[in-house]
Amino acid sequence: MRGYRAKMVEPTRLVPPEERERALSEAGYNVFNLPSDRVFVDLLTDSGTGTMSSEQWAALLLGDEAYAGASSFDHLREAVEETMGFSRIVPAHQGRGAENVLYGSLVAEGDTVLNNAHFDTTRAHIAANGADPVDCPTEEAGDFDSEHPFKGNFDVDAARDVADDVGPENIPAVVVTITNNSTAGQPVSVANLRETRAFADEIDATFVIDACRFAENAAFVQQREPEFEGESVAAIAREELSYADAVVMSGKKDGLTNIGGFVAVRDTPDLDALYDACRQRGILYEGFTSYGGMAGRDLEAFAVGLREAVTDHYVTARVEQVRELGEALDDAGVPIYWPPGGHAVYLDANALLPHIESSEFPGQALVCALYEEGGVRGVELGSFAFPDTDRPDLVRLALPRRTYSAEDIRHVVDTAAAVADRADELTGYRVVSEPSVPELRHFSARLEPLA
Ligand SMILES: *Cc1c(COP(=O)(O)O)cnc(C)c1O
């Protein structure tokens, strides 16, 4: 039950097949280069692409644009305290700005940082500070069919082995990303957060939660972790975050806004130094401590969005829509990572296109075919996006929040099923030009189909 209705609409149009073919060729077979008006259903990302509520639009008009001491900042701080249980925040323009503020304050050259799985910008920030980002995903994460309820969990035993190896004194931070974006949006249990917190204490590290999708994670905990059956999502969300020393947040995800972010630091004396370092770094890179790169109106919309994100009716409908897309694709015979995550469904391009070697980018072949077939834009997260790793070739279909209807979802399923029917006709691709930074290749490289 989706629990909202449209009050303002943005027209979409499925442009004719010849136009899609031309647009794709002009884009160098890279969907990041497609103009959005050539896209019919845009599942490139769920980041900042959702629909704001009428309450959020109304709140924009209350924005206090003062440089310092803006009431809009207090409104955001109060919303964070209420929904996340943190009273001290350092605002930032978006999640990666918050990552720069926190990890630049916490991490030094030669350190190691542990995470259930580093999101790409997190990994880049740890590496930019001269530290080594190490993933500790649970074993089930690599099994595309396992019904394990919490495939996003942090593997404490694996982490302990790393700590023994590098020396616990060289690990300033243990991070858990909820939900685990780099592992198909899979959730993390509260039991696992407690266990990881205890491990962080054991090695005297700061325990950080990347809370970008904390509300979606709480919805899964409510459904799957018996201890929390019958509890509200809002109460579970606070419980999840109660174990963290610090939190990184992107408003573009569960803040239900188009831009914004912050770092939150627990209000205890032993974290005063970290909070102060974050504030100073925030001023340097993001803006003064009461706006951090956001306009006053953004702070207001963010405050309202956080409260909406933890309501049961909103977030239950949200994860249900993703599940419905995943189940319908599965029913149509399209191979996917199972079960569907909180924000996206991941298609298994290796299983669908076994005749295309990883070096010829089966995921990118699938992304291009989905666009040509039905104007659907997804994103490759495999051998094209992550060169020189042995990641599986996945294609992510991320659902913007409160945006698409059941008809749009149906169209995506029909499109994917039509592509699956002619899978053996698809060919691989090769890169014809790429940027100088290999980690950012997929954003701007150009490709061409192999004959
Ligand atoms: C999106 C995201 C970020 C970065 O946030 P931006 O707002 O895109 O800069 C960090 N961590 C995770 C898990 C994310 O999904």
Side-chain angles (χ1 to χ4, degrees):
M1 221 65 88
R2 74 175 188 163
Y4 52 86
R5 59 183 163 228
K7 187 164 189 155
M8 188 191 287
V9 295
E10 181 181 12
T12 52
R13 188 167 76 96
L14 179 58
V15 298
E18 322 75 77
E19 267 186 63
R20 301 201 291 271
E21 239 164 77
R22 185 162 4 102
L24 191 60
S25 150
E26 283 171 10
Y29 298 91
N30 183 341
V31 293
F32 280 99
N33 297 331
L34 283 175
S36 77
D37 67 357
R38 309 281 91 177
V39 178
F40 184 49
V41 182
D42 200 351
L43 308 186
L44 183 72
T45 176
D46 65 320
S47 179
T49 53
T51 303
M52 291 207 297
S53 66
S54 48
E55 294 272 345
Q56 285 179 288
W57 280 101
L60 291 179
L61 295 175
L62 302 175
D64 177 349
E65 307 298 345
Y67 187 94
S71 57
S72 298
F73 177 70
D74 292 328
H75 296 159
L76 177 61
R77 215 177 33 70
E78 285 156 17
V80 173
E81 184 150 22
E82 187 183 309
T83 56
M84 303 174 99
F86 282 80
S87 56
R88 301 200 291 198
I89 64 169
V90 180
H93 75 285
Q94 63 181 86
R96 68 200 65 183
E99 290 179 328
N100 179 31
V101 166
L102 179 67
Y103 297 120
S105 305
L106 195 53
V107 172
E109 182 94 35
D111 285 344
T112 294
V113 172
L114 308 176
N115 199 320
N116 48 348
H118 288 80
F119 178 65
D120 54 12
T121 60
T122 318
R123 176 178 301 280
H125 277 293
I126 303 295
N129 283 293
D132 188 16
V134 176
D135 291 347
C136 304
T138 187
E139 218 171 283
E140 287 83 6
D143 180 348
F144 285 22
D145 301 313
S146 158
E147 288 279 357
H148 190 282
F150 294 104
K151 290 164 85 168
N153 279 354
F154 183 96
D155 187 332
V156 172
D157 292 334
R160 202 169 276 122
D161 288 345
V162 178
D164 287 343
D165 244 27
V166 303
E169 68 283 4
N170 296 313
I171 303 179
V174 172
V175 188
V176 176
T177 306
I178 64 171
T179 56
N180 192 346
N181 193 3
S182 300
T183 306
Q186 298 295 305
V188 174
S189 68
V190 171
N192 185 250
L193 290 171
R194 288 179 185 138
E195 201 192 344
T196 310
R197 161 87 241 181
F199 166 69
D201 284 341
E202 191 183 302
I203 63 166
D204 203 19
T206 302
F207 184 43
V208 178
I209 294 184
D210 180 328
C212 289
R213 298 183 180 79
F214 77 111
E216 289 165 12
N217 198 80
F220 285 116
V221 167
Q222 186 189 53
Q223 292 165 7
R224 299 180 185 179
E225 198 164 355
E227 180 186 339
F228 295 96
E229 202 188 324
E231 286 245 30
S232 69
V233 165
I236 297 167
R238 277 192 303 271
E239 171 77 15
E240 286 172 343
L241 301 182
S242 70
Y243 298 99
D245 294 316
V247 152
V248 184
M249 181 66 187
S250 167
K252 303 175 74 169
K253 320 296 177 35
D254 280 349
L256 294 174
T257 58
N258 303 118
I259 198 72
F262 57 80
V263 175
V265 180
R266 180 82 51 211
D267 191 1
T268 60
D270 57 323
L271 292 169
D272 284 351
L274 177 63
Y275 176 57
D276 190 54
C278 287
R279 276 164 65 88
Q280 301 316 314
R281 198 171 167 86
I283 294 171
L284 185 58
Y285 287 102
E286 296 293 315
F288 188 62
T289 53
S290 62
Y291 70 89
M294 286 179 275
R297 54 185 172 274
D298 299 329
L299 298 164
E300 294 284 353
F302 199 168
V304 177
L306 276 176
R307 291 194 175 97
E308 291 177 353
V310 296
T311 57
D312 283 73
H313 66 274
Y314 156 71
V315 73
T316 304
R318 159 73 175 158
V319 300
E320 229 172 59
Q321 189 181 41
V322 176
R323 177 142 195 125
E324 280 162 12
L325 173 60
E327 283 176 349
L329 287 165
D330 188 49
D331 288 347
V334 180
I336 67 165
Y337 184 105
W338 190 262
H343 67 296
V345 176
Y346 292 67
L347 311 183
D348 182 353
N350 299 119
L352 185 66
L353 305 170
H355 60 288
I356 303 179
E357 297 286 328
S358 260
S359 58
E360 296 178 354
F361 313 129
Q364 192 61 18
L366 179 53
V367 166
C368 290
L370 290 169
Y371 176 70
E372 282 174 323
E373 179 67 38
V376 174
R377 176 158 67 171
V379 69
E380 196 266 5
L381 295 175
S383 47
F384 174 51
F386 304 105
D388 309 320
T389 63
D390 54 0
R391 295 239 206 165
D393 288 290
L394 296 174
V395 169
R396 187 185 71 187
L397 303 179
L399 288 179
R401 295 169 179 79
R402 302 189 290 207
T403 300
Y404 286 117
S405 67
E407 287 91 331
D408 296 313
I409 300 293
R410 189 72 247 163
H411 174 79
V412 172
V413 174
D414 292 346
T415 298
V419 170
D421 276 348
R422 57 179 179 85
D424 55 354
E425 294 166 22
L426 302 194
T427 61
Y429 281 78
R430 71 178 196 91
V431 172
V432 291
S433 71
E434 57 186 304
S436 54
V437 185
E439 290 82 12
L440 303 177
R441 169 163 90 171
H442 60 304
F443 292 113
S444 43
R446 297 182 71 83
L447 304 100
E448 67 183 15
L450 294 161

